[in-house]
Amino acid sequence: MDERDRKPYVYRLRGLTIGVMLIITILGINIWNLQISQGAYYAAEAKGNYMKLVKVPPTRGDIVDKNGNILVTSVPEFVLNLDWLDLQQSKTSDWKEVVKRLAGYIKPYWPYPNQSVESITEDILVMTQNHQWERYQPVMVLDNVPQDLQAIIAEHQNELPGVSVDAVPLRSYPQKTLAGQLLGYVREIGDKEIAEFNQNEDAQKASFEYAQGDMIGKMGVEKSYDFWLRGKEGIKQVEIDNRARPVSKQLIQPPEPGMTVQLTIDADLQKVVEESLDQVIANVQKNTNPDAKSGAAVVMDVNTGKILAMASRPGMDPNDLTGIISDSMFDKYYTNKIAPAASLNRALSGLYAPGSTFKMVTAIAAFQLQLTTPDEQIDGKKSSLGNLAAQQQGTSEWGGNDFGLVNLSRALAKSSNIYFQVMGRRVFDTNPEVVRQIANEFGLGVVSGVNLPGEAKGIAPSAEWKKAYFGPTYIKARDKKLADIEADYATKLEQAPDVKSRQKLQAKKDAEKNAVEFEYKQKVYENVNWKLYDSFNNSIGQGYNSYTPLQLANYTATLVNGGKRYTLYVVDKLLNPITGEVFRQYYPKVINSVSVSPDNLDAVKQGMRAVVTGTGDDAGTAAGIFADLPEFTGGAKTGTAQLGNINTALGKSYNGVFVAFAPYDKPQIAFAGVVEFGESGGSTAGYVAKAAFMKYFGWESTNGN
Amino acid sequence: MVDKKNLKNMDVPFVVAVLLLLATSLIVLSTASYNLVKGQPYYYVELQTMWILSGIFLAMMVNRIDYQRLQKFSWYIYGFNILLLSAVFIFGSEAKGATRWIPITSSFAIQPSEFAKIFLILSFSDFLTKRQGKLNRFRDFIAPFFYVLVPMLLTFKQPDLGTTLVFMAIFIGMMLIAGANIRKFGGLLLAGATTVGLALWLHFSTNLPSWLQFAQGLPLPMKEYQLKRLTVFMNPALDRSGDGYNILQSMWAVGSGGFWGKGYRQGTQGQLSFLPEQHTDFIFAVLSEEFGFIGVITLLVFFSIFLIRGINIAMHARDLYGVLIATGIITMISFHILINIGMNSGIMPVTGKPLPLISYGGSAMWANMISIGLLLNINLRSRRLIFK
């Protein structure tokens, strides 16, 4: 090939050179783009590939009573873990051998006793297999490892690389049923609860978000203080390979244990109240009503709003609800099959008719409207209620008694129905709303603000309330019937052949509409309008009245502390679990002061004193209870709340209700208690109050009871 | 026999570039394959050293015979090539859904397509030499096209789309250098590329205008996985566990290398085995991750010297036959570099082609060393000898 022949090829080969260099340049520019321009992005992606952040669970905080006694704590449960990283870093070449050896040691402790070592080995391998995209986390092979197995594992540690017995915190309630419903229990969060818990203000402030798999408090203090109890998760950084096997690990943020929550509850007092309640219920069950199985009681500080004891029966042991819940456990705690559901905190969420314990409200209303004075005497005869028609709507004195002429003090002492019905009639005839207003001022029918989930609000009735509550149903029914008539006649009228038949139809339609209107008015008169019997029932705490024991206690406290309604609270402070420093202290807070004059409050207080004093004809309804306690100077009020209408099955069943305070001068504590089917408050809940006072003040009975 | 005087012709930068590339291969392989075989961190390095040494020996053997003497056997070479590619269908063993290997012993198999490329270059060079100055009309393109089409179809059938594309590249490169009319041949290429592009578009499109509805989902003569690779290449995030995973992992490896790299055996993508085929197809990603942009540029400089000096050898070849052989080899190696580095950095679909002289692999190493032997053969017997 000579030079002239060669020329075109050289020319074209120069083109090839340019093409090749172009390819190299394009590749180089692209690499520049990846490594330099977007290098940070890719570096982050690559890092996310192999760096996994693993949560390290913190220890949940303790719950202690006002004296520091532990009510809830976390105890170590021992689990057997298999850690891939340690297994791989060991010298043993065949880690399956390690698993097989391990299977041999744990065989006697394996949940399925008839399994062979081979099949246990297989099971463990399957566990690790199922775990393969999370190999950076240890696999739990066995929980609840007993001490002798721990010893065996420790002894053979050098031939079992990667196998460890680790302590994981397990929630424990060492006092069993003591204040069970108040404390609550801990379980895994439910899907629907995630949003609810993320509403928590403290959690939001800390930008903490609840997520699936979190363990949370399901009720009680465990729930309302969950955010503070749970602590902060630590973070462990684990480097993994493409099969998610850990290569190295490092704790980059240690977990912070949860706060210690100190309650206002006095565990000793709580215990006395619960035991007394159990005893009273057992007595009622044995002697009067076999259905009596439940009740509730509250003891509170009248000058702060602190709850000192809050008991609900049947009792709940939170330990029963932390693990697998059996069918019988489920029935016990969540259904009424065996007994009334034990998980219900009746002091907080149970609504009860107050019965005669409501009578102080009626009296105060009458004083407020200046419809009576404490000295006015009413003849305790049914004729005092008015004419025969009125008498038929009222209630006689209890037990067919005749208390003669009664003033306020005697009326309370004897629990005169006639006196309070007379006062009630006057009050409702003057202003049907005022009883409700006063009840609300004393915390009845309004939430107490106690920081516990599931508080019931109750009902303080009035004419307006009754109208708003029952009215809409009848209006709706009437409107529907009227609309039906209109629709029915619209076509009929259209199809009518002549004017005459049309007029006839029109008349028929009007008649039907009038009938509906009439029926409505009748129904409203009967069921919606405030009636005299409503006034009578309401005056003595029957009818629509329903309150929680917590509200009744707060009402009593407000009556005797000078008329200040405090926010109720069960948590006194949050403490740093390590240093013991106070992180947050809760202080008493007055929600409202009542609009009742001190003289009137005093008159009522004196009347409550009369309930627990006197002898013979002057003896109060609860005088007998406290007869052997000379140091007792407080007051009380008994209540016997009829459960249903006289004509229904429950008509002859009564709850025993009791409220009390002590001492008389400068009262310190208030009590409210209910014993379901307890017949009378004096003979049941009254004894719980007595036990609580004896414990709180250190009194002793003069006859050794 | 090579005359001692011929050695003066030797293109030293070319030889140095080859040796540097081979050294690079061993260095990168010593980190890329470090964790692959448990307990034997240098398993692949040792094997690759063996392939390199035997490859150098092969190159020297190739050098001994004057390449011009091969020209007479062109049709035998062509025929043998067809037989070799057909043999895969008879003796071939299947690997990853394709029959590309012919087993020799239980642990040793050769990949005929690697050698088929060289045989095609040798025979096609002769074919085109005979048509010197007769490649100006459209009809002149027909015979060369069918000449290449036969081996191309055989590899396509294996299926080995990568090698088919390499044959295509060799055909185009050699035709252009051999003197094909640029406008006419270029026009044909453009038309062909447009057709292929259109067919792919019709195949993948989902909402065509009504008048084109009939062509929607146009069937293509390709395997499902090959088509999937193309779609995944367009959007790697679609398939985070399969091919898309490979592309993403490779891009993360390359990108995370930065300017200086993470350091020798410090690359997390490679050392923790997130990269697929890290000692063969994705070895470039390991190099990029651990040696950074500096390392990549160094490699590209080595390749540039190698290719430019290779083209220079073609320019000074003694005859057109030599020019075309050299052209074919340069085209082949350039195309391999393009699709491998392109695939490693996310601008080319995954076709499973190794990076010449760097990736681990016996057949590829031998084929590349034979190619280099041929280039040196042409170099040593270049025109300077004649016009001295």
Side-chain angles (χ1 to χ4, degrees), chain A residues 574-592:
Chain A
L574 304 179
L575 304 166
N576 181 311
I578 296 155
T579 62
E581 275 171 61
V582 176
F583 169 78
R584 181 182 283 184
Q585 169 85 51
Y586 293 88
Y587 295 101
K589 201 166 81 193
V590 176
I591 302 177
N592 64 272

Side-chain angles (χ1 to χ4, degrees), chain A residues 136-214:
Chain A
Y136 47 90
Q137 307 236 43
V139 186
M140 195 188 80
V141 176
L142 199 66
D143 62 0
N144 253 324
V145 178
Q147 273 194 335
D148 41 350
L149 179 55
Q150 290 177 34
I152 293 171
I153 299 292
E155 208 177 302
H156 300 275
Q157 194 59 64
N158 52 351
E159 50 174 297
L160 294 171
V163 176
S164 60
V165 174
D166 299 317
V168 294
L170 182 77
R171 206 62 173 156
S172 163
Y173 304 83
Q175 315 255 33
K176 311 280 180 199
T177 57
L178 189 82
Q181 297 97 337
L182 169 72
L183 298 173
Y185 58 96
V186 173
R187 287 186 81 79
E188 195 175 320
I189 197 165
D191 288 347
K192 286 173 193 155
E193 286 169 315
I194 295 175
E196 182 198 332
F197 271 77
N198 278 329
Q199 300 275 308
N200 183 299
E201 271 177 43
D202 293 319
Q204 283 179 350
K205 247 181 254 167
S207 318
F208 175 79
E209 279 197 29
Y210 286 88
Q212 243 170 3
D214 281 348

